[in-house]
Amino acid sequence: MAGKQSAGILLHRDGAGGVEVLLGHMGGPFWAKKDAGAWSLPKGEYDPDETPEAAARREFTEELGVPVPDGELVELGTVKQSGGKTVTAWALRGDLDPAAVVPGTFELEWPPRSGRTQEFPEVDRVEWFPLDVAREKIVKAQAAFLDRLADAVS
């Protein structure tokens, strides 16, 4: 059986110190006290009947609760994360106010084996980071997208 596939959009803008990217801190109890490696581009899984680009656009809106900014998507390729998930990403030049984000939610049995289901935000905060800081924050495998973005905008 093939691993899960996910697609997302890496929003970027020109900041005072160079390129900045928008990352979301993963929501839920597992990530609550983690920072390094706990941030991701807005992304999500998709089924074979959906194109990766359509999924990336849908997931951006679902995770952040705001529409995808207008602009041209630039393909950043794919990476394989440590858990086996393959992530396909596109870069998009645009701006977004993190205060406007209204994250989607997911349900999880918490605490484990308690029989109680709780609702958590998909992302519990969203921030703009310069590329060097983003490399420290982002899920390890996704750092390749930052390098590809830097190459694409230089």
Side-chain angles (χ1 to χ4, degrees):
M1 181 173 153
K4 293 183 178 180
Q5 295 190 318
S6 199
I9 295 174
L10 182 60
L11 197 63
H12 65 96
R13 67 182 186 187
D14 295 327
V19 176
E20 295 178 340
V21 293
L22 186 77
L23 300 179
H25 184 268
M26 292 183 273
F30 178 77
W31 301 103
K33 295 182 180 177
K34 294 177 172 59
D35 190 55
W39 295 75
S40 174
L41 59 100
K43 62 163 186 53
E45 293 178 9
Y46 62 95
D47 293 321
D49 60 339
E50 185 176 28
T51 68
E53 182 180 330
R57 290 180 178 279
R58 175 183 51 76
E59 285 292 336
F60 185 98
T61 301
E62 284 181 10
E63 282 204 2
L64 303 183
V66 295
V68 176
D70 291 333
E72 180 184 347
L73 293 179
V74 176
E75 213 170 321
L76 295 176
T78 62
V79 297
K80 190 166 191 168
Q81 295 186 163
S82 61
K85 183 183 288 184
T86 300
V87 180
T88 303
W90 286 265
L92 175 63
R93 181 181 300 275
D95 206 353
L96 184 151
D97 179 0
V101 169
V102 181
T105 59
F106 68 96
E107 289 186 347
L108 177 71
E109 181 182 2
W110 193 259
R113 296 177 295 286
S114 67
R116 291 192 358 231
T117 301
Q118 294 187 47
E119 191 172 78
F120 297 97
E122 292 200 40
V123 294
D124 55 24
R125 60 191 183 278
V126 175
E127 292 181 36
W128 287 100
F129 295 106
L131 286 177
D132 59 335
V133 176
R135 279 186 184 88
E136 299 169 12
K137 304 279 187 184
I138 201 164
V139 172
K140 188 176 181 178
Q142 292 180 25
F145 294 138
L146 302 177
D147 297 335
R148 294 172 192 170
L149 172 64
D151 290 344
V153 299
S154 61

